[in-house]
Amino acid sequence: MVVNALAVPNTDKAAEFGTGGSSSDTAQNVTLSFNLSDGSLRPDQLRMLNTATGQVITPSLTSRGNGAYDLVKYLGGGTGELFWWQLG
């Protein structure tokens, strides 16, 4: 599970412990990097749960060469995505 834990920013710069904001206010891109160079896993074995539909999908990874792959996910603050490797 990958979570954007940035959920309550301090929007009042005058208050040290002020809080506020929404999921969209605290959204950010999260980059997941995978080293698959040992051959024990393939990029097409990564699975993700689509939170909108509940369906299992295979996300597209971007190859950086030599078995290195990246996946960039845009996550709202306080939200997460579930990933796992489909083995066998």
Side-chain angles (χ1 to χ4, degrees):
M1 180 107 197
V2 176
V3 177
N4 175 0
L6 180 60
V8 186
N10 181 356
T11 57
D12 180 359
K13 303 303 181 201
E16 180 180 359
F17 300 106
T19 61
S22 66
S23 181
S24 61
D25 290 336
T26 55
Q28 57 187 327
N29 283 318
V30 176
T31 301
L32 307 174
S33 297
F34 304 98
N35 181 351
L36 307 180
S37 62
D38 71 356
S40 62
L41 294 170
R42 297 185 322 267
D44 65 346
Q45 290 177 292
L46 184 65
R47 301 293 184 262
M48 182 178 93
L49 184 65
N50 182 318
T51 55
T53 66
Q55 292 186 320
V56 175
I57 61 173
T58 302
S60 295
L61 301 180
T62 302
S63 176
R64 293 187 293 125
N66 297 322
Y69 294 86
D70 285 338
L71 174 64
V72 178
K73 288 298 298 176
Y74 182 78
L75 296 174
T79 67
E81 297 278 355
L82 181 63
F83 296 90
W84 67 95
W85 294 100
Q86 184 69 46
L87 305 176

